[in-house]
């Protein structure tokens, strides 16, 4: 997990640097300077690559966290929450119907 988090932090750093480069190119354009299409194209290609790497790393981190929680697949059943919801519904039914105490 720490390897993935280190990788994510490295990717964040690279994306921040690329963001600074994009802002630099934008300022050049706004100042009326000419910007190389090759340079802009390479920069955008780099952004796409690192964004894809970011998404893949986040997905791997999410998978590790699900496995640590014992979740198989893409979903899990929260039994504690289900038990609470059922208890609340039973309490409303008892009040509504004027029923006495019902065993848990």
């Amino acid at each position: 997990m720490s390897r993935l988090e280190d990788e994510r932090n490295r990717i964040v750093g690279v994306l921040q640097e690329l963001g600074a480069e994009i802002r630099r190119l934008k300022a050049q354009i706004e100042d009326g300077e000419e910007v190389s299409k090759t340079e802009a194209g390479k920069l955008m290609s780099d952004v796409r690559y690192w964004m894809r790497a970011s998404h893949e790393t986040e997905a791997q981190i999410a998978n590790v966290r699900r496995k640590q929680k014992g979740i198989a697949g893409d979903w899990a059943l929260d039994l504690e929450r289900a038990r609470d919801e059922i208890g609340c519904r039973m309490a409303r039914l008892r009040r509504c119907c004027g029923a006495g105490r019902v065993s848990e």
Side-chain angles (χ1 to χ4, degrees), residues 10-72:
R10 185 176 64 84
I11 291 169
V12 166
V14 170
L15 286 172
Q16 288 172 339
E17 291 171 10
L18 291 172
E21 283 295 308
I22 290 171
R23 287 188 292 280
R24 183 185 61 78
L25 287 178
K26 181 182 177 204
Q28 281 181 315
I29 292 169
E30 289 172 349
D31 291 342
E33 296 178 36
E34 195 162 315
V35 175
S36 164
K37 288 183 181 181
T38 305
E39 181 184 3
K42 182 184 179 323
L43 180 59
M44 294 311 297
S45 175
D46 288 348
V47 168
R48 282 190 293 272
Y49 170 82
W50 287 104
M51 289 298 294
R52 187 172 33 255
S54 172
H55 290 294
E56 290 170 1
T57 302
E58 287 296 333
Q60 289 173 350
I61 289 172
N63 284 336
V64 168
R65 287 186 177 148
R66 278 197 305 271
K67 286 179 184 176
Q68 287 174 340
K69 291 180 181 179
I71 299 172

